[in-house]
Amino acid sequence: MFSLNGSSFLNNSLPGVPRGGLSQSRTKFAFPTVVAAAVSSNGRPGENGNVSVLVENNPKKETKDASSPVVEKETKSKVSGGVGDVYGEDTASEDQSITPWTVSVASGYPLLRDPHYNKGLAFTEKERDAHYLRGLLPPVVVSQALQVKKMMANIRQYQVPLQRYMAMMDLQGRNERLFYKLLIDNVEELLPVVYTPTVGEACQKYGSIFRQPQGLFISLKEKGRILEVLKNWPEKKIQVIVVTDGERILGLGDLGCQGMGIPVGKLSLYTALGGIRPSACLPVTIDVGTNNETLLNDDFYIGLRQRRATGQEYAELLHEFMTAVKQNYGEKVLIQFEDFANHNAFDLLAKYGPTHLVFNDDIQGTASVVLAGLIAALKLVGGSLADHRFLFLGAGEAGTGIAELIALEISKQTGVPVEETRKKIWLVDSKGLIIRSRMDTLQHFKKPWAHEHEPVTHLVDAVKAIKPTVLIGSSGVGRTFTKEVVEAMSSINKRPLILALSNPTSQSECTAKEAYTWSEGRAIYASGSPFDPVEYNGEIHVPGQANNAYIFPGFGLGLIISGAIRVHDDMLLAASEALAAQVTDENLAKGLIFPPFSNIRKISAQIAAKVAAKAYELGLATRLPEPENLVAYAESCMYSPSYRSYR
Ligand SMILES: NC(=O)C1=CN([C@@H]2O[C@H](COP(=O)(O)OP(=O)(O)OC[C@H]3O[C@@H](n4cnc5c(N)ncnc54)[C@H](OP(=O)(O)O)[C@@H]3O)[C@@H](O)[C@H]2O)C=CC1
Ligand SMILES: CC(=O)C(=O)O
Ligand SMILES: [Mg+2]
């Protein structure tokens, strides 16, 4: 359905040139010396991440047939972890020194201005001497732990969420490792700041709060030159791209170029939650204009001031981008489509699924996370998936994506064809229940859900008619699960399962408090954006966060560590099962059908391992041989935000 089996072909997996080329400036090291030192210091070439330098200095390697599995094997033996530790920024052994180099070996003032290597007051005395920092910093030397403590105290002082967001973005632009240390160690507190709901407001106001550009902006002005534009990005070894065209940002509609906050936020989660190195992540916004009149008339709008290009003009720009990405980064770069409007999202996935490693987070990631929640919830509501009836409000990317994965899973479990299992699932769109008599006017992705039924216009009537055990909101419209709707669900079910997926919080179909109150404490509830626990009748109910952030970081890691070349539906099912398995009885007892985010890196490693295992099983993995313990391997590949010492 969402993806196709690809044939097993390998790509150019040799690392590229160092960031920005091979120039150097004020440094005590000449490059060959650095390379020699790097290789011989531990006797394990590449272990400390200097593989790219080795390749640069060994033309023989560069000319090898990159499609040969032998090259894969060689590369694997030299690169720790398999997620391309090209710049020596991070390896399993953090006590080893590395060279902090940017376009040149950074030192002095530029070193303090380079977020990749800056440590602020945490530069040691020795580093201050070696890297010309004397006088550029006050005398005190502090630990990263103290920096975290201070930053958290600063951030907590801001009462306005957008101020917290801006403080976090400033930190990311100033000291990347500290940013990730903060985010990883305080994930439950900071996720709502760098991600939904606050990122939604940030996108709405992106022009006004714009300080430093983040990510790569590709607009219609760059048509015919996209490859050139990609080459302007300072990092060469990209493993994950999150791209949007800004047309459906959360449930906030068309935010044009200001949608950039979403790829930036998603990729910071790829690093914090999934352990992908920041240098391997590329946020992209494709600017084809916007139909948002408010933005078009906003002096501070940062995008093209024109209405959206469509049709051939749009398709050609996207095609040039997809082609340039593959040309520049190879076959195995993961391209995650994010927050495209559904009239483009399904077509892009279908068009590029057979030729690129593509993943649509809103269609596929959301499906995988919701299926995981449903599998976990069965322990509370009883029965198998096939015993339940599902009703959706919203029949777009999220709604039909989830519906299809549920139908697929039931089909796998029961052996009943998917055309039959779909009949357990009903969807309502802005015109009412999707039924057979509407077939001629339905968008293609809705057609499989057009079952035989009388017309039903209102959700509450659909609930009464269909009698679902599970109600899922994916309409992007807030407050649509009214008291009547929740009461109707509660009159049919002992434990109504209610998922209000729409983001941000303002678009949530109902709040946690409403769900628990209107169901008299019986609802099992989760939402796309977080809600605090609710006390009802002396009992504490903890709402889960049904958000694709549980899936995509681990899913992407699994693709990368296996060298997968295509996404397959069975990988989504594997990810769901892995996530569901992480929900403990203790979680369930509180009403939680997702595990807490505090443990997310461990969870991501479990997901990555299952996804990678599936890639090997399906013959879609190119990183050979398959590691024996995929969970341990996934964990060993993860980026650590601890500071490195600079020689
Ligand atoms: N929690 C999570 O992880 C995720 C949450 N989401 C959220 O889900 C929401 C929808 O996203 P997505 O599926 O991509 O959006 P789409 O635009 O693809 O789909 C929206 C659907 O909702 C329907 N709809 C709109 N208004 C109403 C209404 N008043 N009554 C009934 N149906 C309505 C639309 O109907 P019609 O087709 O007739 O216009 C359409 O079928 C967003 O808020 C998004 O943030 C998305 C992905 C992940
Ligand atoms: C979470 C997400 O991807 C969305 O709301 O679009
Ligand atoms: Mg999204």
Side-chain angles (χ1 to χ4, degrees):
M1 51 150 187
F2 312 125
S3 57
L4 296 172
N5 252 325
S7 57
S8 243
F9 53 94
L10 310 175
N11 85 324
N12 304 342
S13 60
L14 289 177
V17 294
R19 300 197 306 146
L22 288 166
S23 64
Q24 61 170 320
S25 67
R26 206 170 72 165
T27 166
K28 13 188 211 178
F29 304 115
F31 254 112
T33 322
V34 180
V35 174
V39 174
S40 60
S41 64
N42 59 10
R44 286 170 295 171
E47 186 83 9
N48 54 357
N50 288 286
V51 176
S52 60
V53 180
L54 273 174
V55 172
E56 274 304 305
N57 289 321
N58 186 352
K60 262 199 229 152
K61 277 208 165 2
E62 252 184 335
T63 55
K64 264 200 167 178
D65 176 10
S67 67
S68 152
V70 178
V71 175
E72 276 299 309
K73 222 169 174 176
E74 281 182 5
T75 308
K76 183 183 165 292
S77 71
K78 291 189 181 112
V79 182
S80 162
V83 281
D85 185 9
V86 177
Y87 308 116
E89 59 188 305
D90 187 16
T91 67
S93 41
E94 295 189 349
D95 51 347
Q96 287 168 6
S97 301
I98 60 162
T99 303
W101 51 300
T102 54
V103 171
S104 57
V105 177
S107 66
Y109 204 70
L111 181 55
L112 294 179
R113 293 290 175 276
D114 184 341
H116 199 58
Y117 290 112
N118 181 29
K119 304 186 198 178
L121 295 178
F123 278 110
T124 63
E125 300 287 1
K126 192 166 147 264
E127 287 169 337
R128 292 173 191 215
D129 281 334
H131 295 285
Y132 306 90
L133 296 172
R134 285 280 161 208
L136 301 182
L137 290 163
V140 72
V141 176
V142 305
S143 64
Q144 194 184 38
L146 190 73
Q147 289 180 308
V148 169
K149 189 176 168 191
K150 187 183 81 173
M151 271 310 298
M152 284 309 294
N154 285 347
I155 283 171
R156 285 175 186 142
Q157 277 178 6
Y158 294 120
Q159 297 304 314
V160 179
L162 194 59
Q163 286 178 323
R164 293 185 176 201
Y165 175 87
M166 288 167 70
M168 284 300 283
M169 291 304 106
D170 281 350
L171 179 60
Q172 191 175 21
R174 195 169 68 241
N175 182 338
E176 190 176 85
R177 279 179 184 269
L178 188 56
F179 169 82
Y180 282 111
K181 182 76 181 150
L182 231 65
L183 192 50
I184 291 167
D185 290 356
N186 302 276
V187 65
E188 290 194 308
E189 184 173 349
L190 293 178
L191 209 55
V193 176
V194 300
Y195 191 53
T196 186
T198 312
V199 72
E201 187 185 356
C203 289
Q204 289 175 309
K205 300 176 179 162
Y206 211 74
S208 310
I209 63 172
F210 186 84
R211 294 191 204 185
Q212 271 193 359
Q214 293 172 294
L216 204 57
F217 294 90
I218 298 175
S219 78
L220 287 168
K221 286 187 196 171
E222 280 74 56
K223 192 160 192 292
R225 295 190 298 162
I226 295 182
L227 185 59
E228 240 177 85
V229 175
L230 290 181
K231 289 185 189 299
N232 288 344
W233 187 249
E235 310 288 352
K236 302 301 167 205
K237 178 76 177 141
I238 297 300
Q239 294 180 309
V240 187
I241 292 173
V242 176
V243 57
T244 189
D245 71 355
E247 192 168 3
R248 196 286 277 145
I249 294 300
L250 307 178
L252 302 171
D254 181 355
L255 298 184
C257 192
Q258 302 197 162
M260 180 56 106
I262 296 293
V264 167
K266 291 273 178 185
L267 282 164
S268 66
L269 303 197
Y270 258 108
T271 298
L273 279 49
I276 309 294
R277 288 184 172 70
S279 57
C281 296
L282 174 57
V284 175
T285 292
I286 307 235
D287 185 352
V288 295
T290 179
N291 296 338
N292 183 326
E293 291 297 334
T294 310
L295 291 179
L296 288 172
N297 292 315
D298 180 353
D299 283 347
F300 301 140
Y301 181 56
I302 56 167
L304 287 184
R305 221 167 273 272
Q306 65 170 70
R307 296 187 72 76
R308 280 188 177 271
T310 57
Q312 195 179 341
E313 194 181 10
Y314 178 88
E316 280 175 8
L317 193 75
L318 264 290
H319 192 67
E320 187 187 339
F321 169 71
M322 296 300 289
T323 309
V325 162
K326 201 155 149 179
Q327 203 174 334
N328 208 36
Y329 304 119
E331 187 80 26
K332 285 184 275 185
V333 62
L334 170 62
I335 304 171
Q336 173 166 317
F337 294 119
E338 192 71 51
D339 289 9
F340 282 76
N342 62 37
H343 55 92
N344 289 317
F346 288 101
D347 293 349
L348 287 170
L349 191 59
K351 181 170 177 185
Y352 294 104
T355 54
H356 291 64
L357 182 65
V358 288
F359 169 71
N360 185 301
D361 189 33
D362 301 299
I363 302 172
Q364 298 171 298
T366 314
S368 187
V369 78
V370 170
L371 179 60
L374 296 177
I375 294 171
L378 291 177
K379 289 192 181 161
L380 292 174
V381 294
S384 67
L385 276 181
D387 297 325
H388 288 268
R389 274 183 314 283
F390 306 85
L391 179 65
F392 288 77
L393 181 71
E397 295 167 65
T400 62
I402 301 162
E404 186 67 7
L405 202 65
I406 295 173
L408 192 64
E409 177 71 7
I410 297 177
S411 171
K412 285 202 180 251
Q413 286 179 5
T414 58
V416 174
V418 77
E419 292 73 21
E420 279 300 308
T421 62
R422 285 189 187 126
K423 291 182 181 158
K424 294 177 177 300
I425 304 172
W426 295 81
L427 292 95
V428 171
D429 66 8
S430 64
K431 297 184 181 63
L433 192 63
I434 295 181
I435 48 174
R436 181 94 26 153
S437 59
R438 293 179 54 196
M439 189 66 110
D440 290 349
T441 56
L442 290 173
Q443 289 151 289
H444 65 89
F445 49 86
K446 292 180 184 169
K447 288 186 192 281
W449 310 102
H451 310 315
E452 210 59 69
H453 202 282
E454 293 296 304
V456 181
T457 313
H458 300 293
L459 178 64
V460 68
D461 297 329
V463 171
K464 288 175 185 165
I466 305 298
K467 297 192 176 22
T469 55
V470 181
L471 178 65
I472 301 178
S474 56
S475 62
V477 182
R479 304 297 173 261
T480 36
F481 290 175
T482 58
K483 188 164 184 275
E484 291 67 38
V485 168
V486 175
E487 282 176 353
M489 280 298 289
S490 309
S491 70
I492 300 163
N493 301 287
K494 202 166 143 208
R495 306 273 337 244
L497 189 37
I498 298 177
L499 306 182
L501 299 182
S502 293
N503 295 315
T505 315
S506 57
Q507 313 310 109
S508 189
E509 284 79 6
C510 67
T511 65
K513 192 172 176 197
E514 288 166 345
Y516 295 127
T517 308
W518 294 337
S519 67
E520 296 169 330
R522 288 186 285 129
I524 299 163
Y525 171 88
S527 53
S529 298
F531 282 105
D532 287 335
V534 174
E535 190 186 332
Y536 180 81
N537 267 357
E539 211 179 318
I540 302 291
H541 299 264
V542 186
Q545 191 175 349
N547 194 292
N548 48 32
Y550 274 110
I551 290 290
F552 68 79
F555 193 84
L557 181 64
L559 296 175
I560 290 170
I561 62 173
S562 60
I565 48 162
R566 297 288 177 269
V567 167
H568 191 285
D569 292 339
D570 286 356
M571 298 173 179
L572 300 174
L573 296 176
S576 300
E577 279 156 23
L579 178 57
Q582 297 302 306
V583 183
T584 62
D585 290 344
E586 210 181 312
N587 299 149
L588 290 168
K590 293 182 199 156
L592 268 176
I593 55 170
F594 294 98
F597 268 111
S598 52
N599 212 17
I600 186 67
R601 283 198 149 206
K602 293 263 174 225
I603 295 167
S604 294
Q606 295 288 339
I607 294 173
K610 290 284 189 239
V611 169
K614 193 52 80 177
Y616 285 106
E617 188 188 317
L618 293 168
L620 294 172
T622 61
R623 195 173 286 278
L624 301 170
E626 178 179 350
E628 266 179 35
N629 182 339
L630 278 166
V631 175
Y633 184 62
E635 279 177 350
S636 77
C637 294
M638 286 186 171
Y639 166 86
S640 153
S642 302
Y643 289 137
R644 307 303 315 268
S645 9
Y646 303 154
R647 62 170 79 88

